[in-house]
Amino acid sequence: FRKLCDSDANRHSYGKHPSKTALDRARKGVSEGKRLLVELLKTCGSNRKSPTRTAFPLTSFVALFGGPGLHGYGKHEINTEECTSKVDIVEIEELLVSSKIRTLGLDCSCEVRIDYNRKEESASANIQQNGAKSTDYTLKDLWRRQKRQKTAESAVEVEYRWTCSTCTFIHVGKSKLDYLLCELCGSES
C-alpha cells in the first residue's frame, strides 16, 4: 500500500486549504480525465470493446474515478499485487453529460468496465448495453424516459451540479447533490 502513497496520483490531495494553483490543477485533472474517458469509449467499435490499450495518466485517472470504493458512478477496485484497477460504471451520467453519452451512441442503461494498468498508465474499456425489452422496465427506466422526453421537449439539459463556496470546486453528478461536505477542500456547504 505504501507504493500507492508515493505515486503521482497523490498530487490531487490538497488538504483543507488548497492554493489556487492546486485547485486549478484538480479541475484540469478532472476535465482531462473526462476527455480521455470519451476518447477511450470512442475506440470501442461495434463489438463494444477497445481493441488496444489507451494512454491514460494516473493523475487524470484518480481525479476522475477517485480512490477504491463505492462511488455515485459505480465501484472502483484495486489489485495491488498486479498494479491494476477495475472500474465498473453503472451510472455513466455521473461522469459525463448526457449530450456526450448520446454522441458516443450509448444510452444511460449501459454498463462500462474500465481495466487500468497503473505501471503502464493505460486503460481499456468494455461496454455492455443492457437491452431491456419494451415491456421490461424498472421504475428507474420510467423516470429516465420521462426525463428524456421533458428534456427533448424543452431543449434544455438538466445537469446536476453545485459549487463549493470556499474553494469554488464544481461538484457534478446527481449523487453529489446530497453531499454535506466538499470532496476537495472538506468545508461545509
Side-chain angles (χ1 to χ4, degrees), residues 2-189:
R2 287 217 181 265
K3 291 180 213 172
L4 295 177
C5 296
D6 296 333
S7 79
D8 289 339
N10 283 329
R11 289 191 290 157
H12 287 281
S13 177
Y14 303 113
K16 288 193 176 212
H17 304 288
S19 67
K20 183 173 178 358
T21 57
L23 290 173
D24 289 341
R25 195 169 65 227
R27 286 187 192 105
K28 184 181 175 189
V30 172
S31 62
E32 179 70 8
K34 287 181 180 182
R35 184 187 68 77
L36 290 168
L37 177 61
V38 168
E39 283 183 22
L40 179 62
L41 295 177
K42 281 181 182 176
T43 64
C44 298
S46 58
N47 65 354
R48 299 298 198 188
K49 200 170 197 174
S50 54
T52 59
R53 299 190 70 77
T54 304
F56 205 124
L58 185 60
T59 51
S60 299
F61 183 81
V62 171
L64 182 61
F65 296 115
L70 293 176
H71 299 274
Y73 61 80
K75 69 179 178 179
H76 178 186
E77 298 174 343
I78 288 182
N79 183 335
T80 53
E81 294 170 2
E82 296 179 16
C83 288
T84 59
S85 290
K86 179 176 67 172
V87 176
D88 291 321
I89 304 170
V90 293
E91 293 287 337
I92 192 84
E93 290 176 314
E94 293 289 330
L95 297 171
L96 301 173
V97 293
S98 52
S99 61
K100 278 277 191 230
I101 297 168
R102 282 192 304 273
T103 307
L104 293 168
L106 303 175
D107 64 14
C108 298
S109 66
C110 73
E111 293 183 12
V112 179
R113 171 168 285 176
I114 307 292
D115 291 312
Y116 186 77
N117 187 313
R118 290 192 308 273
K119 285 182 181 176
E120 298 173 3
E121 294 192 9
S122 63
S124 64
N126 187 1
I127 302 171
Q128 182 177 358
Q129 290 288 127
N130 293 333
K133 296 177 184 173
S134 59
T135 58
D136 188 19
Y137 287 112
T138 64
L139 189 56
K140 194 173 189 179
D141 295 328
L142 177 65
W143 286 110
R144 280 187 180 147
R145 189 173 61 204
Q146 287 179 350
K147 180 180 158 187
R148 278 193 296 253
Q149 288 172 348
K150 286 179 184 176
T151 303
E153 291 170 5
S154 65
V156 175
E157 283 193 19
V158 176
E159 189 170 345
Y160 302 100
R161 61 172 47 208
W162 65 275
T163 305
C164 175
S165 58
T166 306
C167 68
T168 68
F169 184 74
I170 301 170
H171 301 267
V172 179
K174 194 173 185 179
S175 67
K176 300 214 171 57
L177 288 176
D178 297 330
Y179 284 9
L180 299 175
L181 297 174
C182 174
E183 62 185 299
L184 185 65
C185 71
S187 66
E188 292 184 28
S189 304

